[in-house]
Amino acid sequence: MNKKLSSVTAFLANYKYLITIVLGVLFVGFIDEDSFLQRMKYDIQISGLKDEIRKYDALNDSANLELKRLQRNPRYIEKIAREHYFMKADDEDIFVFSTDKIDDQLNAKMSE
């Protein structure tokens, strides 16, 4: 037992700097709160957030363009009202064509 202990202490004494460096790199690289792995996770999260920022910037630009069109062109307001809200002038009729499938009951009544 004494011989094993002395061989272990001799090994530790000979390689103490190497062991310290390896343990330090392992601690800083993987275990620490600011480790390399945590940094990689943050980089992935940052790239995802940057993509989201680009998406919202594009959405904001299109909304600003739409707002400018609405402010400058009264006919564009009329077009939006007609297309999206089915508004009409007093002397007009609106026909809305649906692409929905007809119910089976309606088909049965029509075939009778």
Side-chain angles (χ1 to χ4, degrees):
M1 178 74 178
N2 206 7
K3 190 174 185 179
K4 287 183 183 181
L5 185 61
S6 64
S7 66
V8 169
T9 56
F11 177 79
L12 291 176
N14 287 337
Y15 297 106
K16 61 185 170 190
Y17 296 112
L18 180 64
I19 292 169
T20 304
I21 291 171
V22 168
L23 289 177
V25 167
L26 286 175
F27 180 76
V28 171
F30 300 102
I31 299 171
D32 190 29
E33 192 174 291
D34 299 324
S35 69
F36 179 72
L37 294 175
Q38 192 67 29
R39 180 177 166 85
M40 293 301 291
K41 288 179 188 176
Y42 288 149
D43 287 342
I44 292 169
Q45 186 179 8
I46 287 170
S47 68
L49 291 172
K50 284 182 180 180
D51 290 340
E52 194 172 336
I53 287 171
R54 280 191 288 274
K55 179 182 82 171
Y56 284 121
D57 281 342
L59 185 63
N60 186 29
D61 291 341
S62 67
N64 284 335
L65 181 64
E66 185 83 11
L67 179 63
K68 286 179 185 177
R69 284 183 189 164
L70 288 170
Q71 289 173 342
R72 292 182 182 163
N73 192 355
R75 288 196 177 256
Y76 190 68
I77 295 172
E78 185 178 327
K79 178 185 174 196
I80 296 295
R82 289 173 185 271
E83 289 177 0
H84 295 284
Y85 302 109
F86 304 114
M87 293 184 168
K88 65 178 185 84
D90 289 333
D91 60 345
E92 292 179 336
D93 290 328
I94 295 179
F95 297 99
V96 179
F97 296 103
S98 176
T99 59
D100 295 338
K101 294 182 179 180
I102 299 174
D103 293 332
D104 291 335
Q105 293 175 352
L106 185 60
N107 284 336
K109 288 181 182 179
M110 292 179 95
S111 64
E112 290 177 358

